Amino acid sequence: RHRAALTAALHTYRPRGALRDLGKALGLSLDQVDRLAKSMSWWDGGRIHPERLAQAGFDPDNLVIAQIAELAQELIGFPRHLSQHSGGFVIAKQSLARLVPIENAAMQDRTVIQWDKDDLDALGLLKIDVLALGMLTCVRRALDHHNAFHGSSVRLQDIPAEDPAVYRMLCHGDSVGVFQVESRAQMNMLPRLRPQCFYDLVIETAIVRPGPIQGGMVHPYLRRRQGLEPVTYPSEAVRGVLERTLGVSIFQEQVMQLAVVAAGFTPGEADRLRRAMAAWKRKGGLGPFRDRLIAGMLARGYSSEYAEQIFRQIQGFGEYGFPESHAASFALLVYVSAWLKCHEPAAFCAALLDSQPLGFYAPAQIVRDAIDHGVTVRPVCVMASEWNCTLEPADAAGVSGPRFRSRYGLRHHGGSAVLTSLHRGPDAPASHTEASRAEATQPAVRLGLMQVSGLTEAAGHRIVEARRQAPFSDVRDLAYRAQLDRGDMARLAAADALTTLSGHRRAALWGVLGLDRGSPRQAPLTSALPVAERQVQLLPPTEGQDIVADYEATGLTLRRHPLAPLRERLDQMRLWTARRIAGARHRQSVATAGIVTCRQRPGTASGVTFVTLEDETGWINVVVWRATAERFRRELLGATLLTVYGRIERVDAPDCPVIHLIASRLVDHSALLGGLVVDSHDFR
């Protein structure tokens, strides 16, 4: 039985999922498995230490726990699954079945070649990889939202190039939801690199990668870009290769070119070097190139130090380095998604929500960021919501949304070459009137029924179709005409989507309980009959109860941030807000608390864990050194509301300071949140 559980667990997405399968087979509850998972040290190769088991409430000598520990450690290092490339194609002149073994894939009418991609390459078969990106779907949906609301036909190619407002936004590190540059590492890099043109975005997407980081190329490039270090080249040949990146090799093509011009490699040898870079850890393929590279560079007059530096950079690229062409393709999506965020934040927010799961941020953070950018976001409602998010006039139903004004100054309109000032004073020329009116009509976002946890898409579409025929008169009418069972109705009530029909959340849940048992589809006549009953006046939930229920039912809340009701108590504990930390001095000692939205430990970080906290005023970047992480392991891995004591590290970049809180002590204050559960982006 245990071996069967182990085999099944090997196909799970994460080690923690594997533990759940094993725990289920061995009779442990999910809570027990969760505590067991937090006792494991994933960054120590998955070893389970007896003292950590004891801290988590387990008996290390218990036979079942010992079996779990042994089997879980066997999982470490196994592949997740036998994968197939989602966009890989193999092309041959004749039938492929005559050249390679082919099997049926899980998807109907799809087939999979049984050989590894490296085997195909060795045999010279033509393989083409078509990259599938969720951001492409998001961009299409954002443009669809924009066009549907404005009655326009803007396409991706109509988005104007080199918009100064977009670069101003990126220089401020304002990039939640923007493709590739929304991680905390990229947000910290943006104010330091300060992109001013498209090629800067090409470099930005490539430089925050394991290859350049391991090869020691990031800081030299930044120092040279900021004028803190002279840009030098050991020869004119090297200048020709590295001039566009200030003498620092950032792209794979540059490494190959250096091997040719500085070490005398032939193009064929340089291509074999590229292949070895992609697999050096697994196959040890770089060894034979080291002596050839260094000898070639020494023979051409380069110093041994420079030759060793180039080889170290090549080793770094073995971790993960970008081709320049790949970076340029990604940079285009960086720019387009940034343009949408800067100038069409409502459409961009709706598209991000419709495209989940996508990127670093959960819907709660996406919505909060949109609100911070002046977007009105409206709740799920059976009387107004479609299945996906939609855009509505900001002043619909008598509700006036905030007048949208881009905080970054200039905007290209509708694909034309016109630049208009959004900070228009009373003496601005009349030509700005139309643009100003366009800014005032920034739409509101109506959350879609898809945000309701557990509601099926078929049920959502039935609601929309029934509403198009006639508005719903009450809860019973909704259940009958949309053919919803009691489970569907309870999910809608829990999500506060029945407010316009029943009042507050508790009244809606009470109304659902009053529906006839069973499915309205099974008993349409009795379900449609009115039921006389005494009206019960229920007290509405408290703000805290509503916030917790919102997160449980939709994963977000449009009410105040969960920490806002706790702020008075947090102030009494002398815990700083994110806004106050933004003004802290370098090396100042502070204490703060926030909801954990992200835990990251990159392989290039030498055991450092990066944690992102969120409060009602913004985000806090926390750095947890390895020793601190081991000392406060339970708090680091288990807290939803984490209090951090530490000191500030501040670098004042021209557009936006880069601020980190270096943790010295962690405290778990999750109990203050009651039953609130917030998803965080952990170690993915």
Side-chain angles (χ1 to χ4, degrees), residues 117-134:
K117 61 183 180 65
D118 293 332
D119 298 329
L120 296 174
D121 195 44
L123 291 171
L125 291 175
L126 178 60
K127 176 175 66 71
I128 297 175
D129 293 342
V130 179
L131 188 62
L133 294 171

Side-chain angles (χ1 to χ4, degrees), residues 15 206 221 236 266 302 344 379-380 516 569 573 591 614 635 657:
Y221 178 82
E236 286 302 312
T266 65
Y302 296 94
E344 298 295 338
V380 182
D516 293 344
R569 182 165 182 179
M573 298 165 65
E614 176 192 274
E635 293 82 359

